[in-house]
Amino acid sequence: MTALLEMTGLTVGYGAAPVLHEVDLSVREGRIVTVLGANGAGKTTLLRAVSGLLHQSAGKITFDGVDLRTVKVERLVRHGIAHVPEGRGVVTELTVDENLRLGGLWRKPRPDLGEIYELFPPLANRRNHLGHQLSGGERQMLAIGRALAAKPRLLLLDEPSLGLAPKITAQIMGLLRDLRDRTGLAVLLVEQNVRSALSVADEGVVLNLGRVVTRQKADTLADDADLRHAYLGF
């Protein structure tokens, strides 16, 4: 099956200092690929490169066969890519409903927000509350919901469990699994909670100092004790 997202020989960094070195990685439609590694391994840099926020010094990223260097950053969402960065980036001065409508701004016809509220029932009860009035878990739900309002084919998700209670984390991971199975959504997931990420992912990629150490099926990676001890800390 042809990959929806394909990286070949990707080298990227900040200024003259590379962070990623010749990374090869692909994500197929209807698959969850989790990127794992210690702090500083280059995980967030990888997502920022896909989103066009960092310049590629070498290599290539294609999405559905299109070279992403030819696509302006502001048009990526129209191509079917949505990015939820680390930190629950919602517009705190807007209501829940306004944030979700913002996510679907470029979609025609405009998305049915009722579908988002069905995915995240706590948001339905707070649709008129401002972003700053939400709990951390509700903000994360809103950030993901806003991305889903754009009807993406690929969701880039950076540390969705950061600072959240285990119950909320489990709900979010379960949602990703459900969306993959039900809609064919592809997900590139960066996550420090390794066990949680591997429990929903189809494949795991381990980065170390900006290089791919291994890529394996998620369950195989979870069972590889030597590799887990060496690179993932458990």
Side-chain angles (χ1 to χ4, degrees):
M1 184 183 296
T2 303
L4 183 64
L5 177 72
E6 185 86 43
M7 305 177 202
T8 53
L10 180 65
T11 299
V12 64
Y14 301 85
V19 174
L20 299 176
H21 305 269
E22 300 179 347
V23 169
D24 295 334
L25 189 152
S26 61
V27 183
R28 288 181 287 157
E29 195 166 11
R31 305 284 282 183
I32 298 175
V33 176
T34 185
V35 182
L36 308 169
N39 289 334
K43 304 184 299 296
T44 292
T45 298
L46 185 73
L47 296 191
R48 288 173 61 84
V50 177
S51 290
L53 300 175
L54 291 174
H55 175 69
Q56 305 162 220
S57 56
K60 189 176 183 179
I61 306 175
T62 61
F63 178 74
D64 200 17
V66 175
D67 187 340
L68 289 186
R69 287 174 296 188
T70 68
V71 181
K72 293 182 178 179
V73 174
E74 62 270 18
R75 298 187 69 86
L76 280 177
V77 68
R78 299 188 185 188
H79 279 259
I81 299 175
H83 185 178
V84 181
E86 180 184 341
R88 304 171 203 140
V90 303
V91 183
T92 57
E93 296 82 6
L94 298 181
T95 66
V96 167
D97 206 71
E98 289 166 340
N99 266 280
L100 293 178
R101 292 185 186 282
L102 185 64
L105 192 62
W106 301 110
R107 278 293 171 190
K108 292 183 180 180
R110 295 291 170 83
D112 179 7
L113 297 189
E115 296 177 358
I116 306 298
Y117 288 127
E118 287 181 10
L119 292 174
F120 299 105
L123 296 183
N125 298 325
R126 298 175 70 79
R127 65 180 65 198
N128 294 318
H129 287 66
L130 298 176
H132 68 80
Q133 296 175 307
L134 304 181
S135 68
E138 289 166 343
R139 287 194 192 190
Q140 187 62 281
M141 292 177 189
L142 180 55
I144 296 173
R146 187 176 64 183
L148 294 176
K151 296 289 186 181
R153 298 174 64 194
L154 172 68
L155 180 64
L156 309 175
L157 200 51
D158 195 355
E159 301 286 7
S161 75
L162 189 65
L164 299 185
K167 181 179 179 180
I168 302 298
T169 297
Q171 290 174 352
I172 289 174
M173 294 300 171
L175 172 67
L176 295 179
R177 183 194 295 116
D178 178 64
L179 288 170
R180 174 201 61 193
D181 296 343
R182 191 163 47 81
T183 70
L185 178 70
V187 181
L188 185 57
L189 169 66
V190 163
E191 180 55 70
Q192 285 283 7
N193 189 329
V194 177
R195 289 186 178 88
S196 182
L198 290 175
S199 73
V200 299
D202 298 289
E203 299 172 80
V205 176
V206 178
L207 287 181
N208 183 52
L209 300 178
R211 299 184 186 276
V212 175
V213 175
T214 188
R215 175 173 183 165
Q216 300 182 35
K217 290 183 178 180
D219 53 358
T220 302
L221 184 56
D223 291 337
D224 190 334
D226 291 339
L227 190 144
R228 288 191 287 105
H229 294 328
Y231 297 106
L232 303 178
F234 77 100

